[in-house]
Amino acid sequence: MKRFLPLFSKTKLFSGLTDEEVRGMLDCLSVSGRRYDRGEYLLHAGESPRAIGLVLSGEVHLTREDFWGNHDILTVVREGATFAEAAALVGDRVLLFDAVAAEPTEAVFFPVNRLLRICSDSVGCQGIVIENLLEIVAERNLLYERKCSHLSRRTTREKLLSFLSEQSAEQNRDTFTISFNRQELADYLSVDRSAMSAELSRMQADGLLRYERSRFQLLKTSE
């Protein structure tokens, strides 16, 4: 954990704390971490987590599988970001998603009972971390709202335009790279991959965009 101390200090969860204060919080929380291979599960749907996860390196996908085996990517969790916060805080609520390593990943888990129990040596620091955690949960809800906005579109083209427009605005450029490959993008938008690929080809032919792999350029069509 010592080699990740600079990263801990830069995360949203520990924002506002010095390296020394972060070190004290980690000692107080008795955190545990490990390395996960690509495709390995960090958490399974149906579990009742008692800890909040934090990605130290790599990338984690929060995915959901329905009765028929169809996959849906809820969100992507990258280095320095947390996951399973709400379920861990609620207590007995089971997860409705899996947390899967999308690449070799290192992650750490913070026991909620220790996080919420005031430690006499770090009362002020603990208050800051709890405030940060509440903000993280609020931001996560906003991300889900954004995804719902994409999924509410009626056609595959409309879903793609909604998602790509958001990515363009987020990166403040009309040429940008997304973090999903084709299958992951199809899963995220809950559409068939072949149908989505065909729609992308039609959108390029219609002069709406250009793309190569995960790199896109949005184009303004002339009236």
Side-chain angles (χ1 to χ4, degrees), residues 156-157 160-161 164 174-176 182 195-222:
T156 298
R157 175 173 291 207
L160 284 165
L161 287 174
L164 293 173
D174 56 14
T175 300
F176 52 89
R182 286 289 180 272
M196 185 194 72
S197 295
E199 189 58 54
L200 282 171
S201 295
R202 286 191 289 268
M203 292 167 69
Q204 182 163 254
D206 291 343
L208 293 172
L209 53 78
R210 297 192 186 98
Y211 68 93
E212 182 178 2
R213 297 181 182 274
S214 296
R215 187 171 179 79
F216 290 82
Q217 180 184 10
L218 300 188
L219 307 171
K220 290 187 176 181
T221 57
S222 58

Side-chain angles (χ1 to χ4, degrees), residues 181-202:
N181 60 34
R182 286 289 180 272
Q183 186 61 59
E184 291 167 345
L185 179 57
D187 290 342
Y188 180 76
L189 295 177
S190 296
V191 298
D192 178 76
R193 175 182 174 177
S194 297
M196 185 194 72
S197 295
E199 189 58 54
L200 282 171
S201 295
R202 286 191 289 268

Side-chain angles (χ1 to χ4, degrees), residues 6 22 24 45 107 121 136 146 156 159 208:
V22 171
D121 294 330
I136 289 170
R146 288 165 57 181
T156 298
K159 290 179 180 181
L208 293 172

Side-chain angles (χ1 to χ4, degrees), residues 12-193:
K12 180 70 175 179
L13 186 62
F14 293 105
S15 177
L17 301 184
T18 65
D19 286 351
E20 189 60 36
E21 289 171 332
V22 171
R23 186 181 294 106
M25 284 294 298
L26 294 177
D27 291 340
C28 181
L29 293 171
S30 299
V31 298
S32 61
R34 54 162 290 197
R35 185 182 185 279
Y36 299 84
D37 295 327
R38 174 182 169 84
E40 190 173 357
Y41 285 71
L42 287 75
L43 293 172
H44 291 269
E47 293 182 12
S48 295
R50 293 294 187 272
I52 296 168
L54 172 67
V55 178
L56 299 175
S57 67
E59 183 173 291
V60 173
H61 287 182
L62 304 186
T63 67
R64 182 172 53 197
E65 182 176 329
D66 66 18
F67 181 83
W68 297 273
N70 299 308
H71 286 271
D72 179 23
I73 297 179
L74 300 175
T75 191
V76 176
V77 187
R78 299 187 178 85
E79 182 180 295
T82 57
F83 58 95
E85 312 92 352
L89 288 169
V90 170
D92 294 329
R93 185 68 58 86
V94 300
L95 287 177
L96 298 178
F97 58 81
D98 298 305
V100 187
E103 58 187 62
T105 296
E106 291 181 272
V108 64
F109 286 88
F110 299 94
V112 170
N113 61 336
R114 288 182 175 272
L115 183 62
L116 299 181
R117 188 173 64 221
I118 300 299
C119 178
S120 59
D121 294 330
S122 55
V123 175
C125 298
Q126 200 159 20
I128 292 174
V129 171
I130 291 173
E131 287 181 10
N132 291 339
L133 179 59
L134 291 175
E135 188 172 341
I136 289 170
V137 172
E139 289 177 349
R140 184 79 68 195
N141 286 336
L142 290 176
L143 288 176
Y144 288 142
E145 288 179 8
R146 288 165 57 181
K147 179 175 181 179
C148 288
S149 175
H150 304 323
L151 298 185
S152 67
R153 311 292 177 166
R154 301 182 65 178
T155 67
T156 298
R157 175 173 291 207
E158 289 173 347
K159 290 179 180 181
L160 284 165
L161 287 174
S162 177
F163 172 75
L164 293 173
S165 293
E166 178 189 84
Q167 292 294 301
S168 175
E170 193 173 77
Q171 299 184 41
N172 195 30
R173 60 186 65 184
D174 56 14
T175 300
F176 52 89
T177 300
I178 65 173
S179 62
F180 297 136
N181 60 34
R182 286 289 180 272
Q183 186 61 59
E184 291 167 345
L185 179 57
D187 290 342
Y188 180 76
L189 295 177
S190 296
V191 298
D192 178 76
R193 175 182 174 177

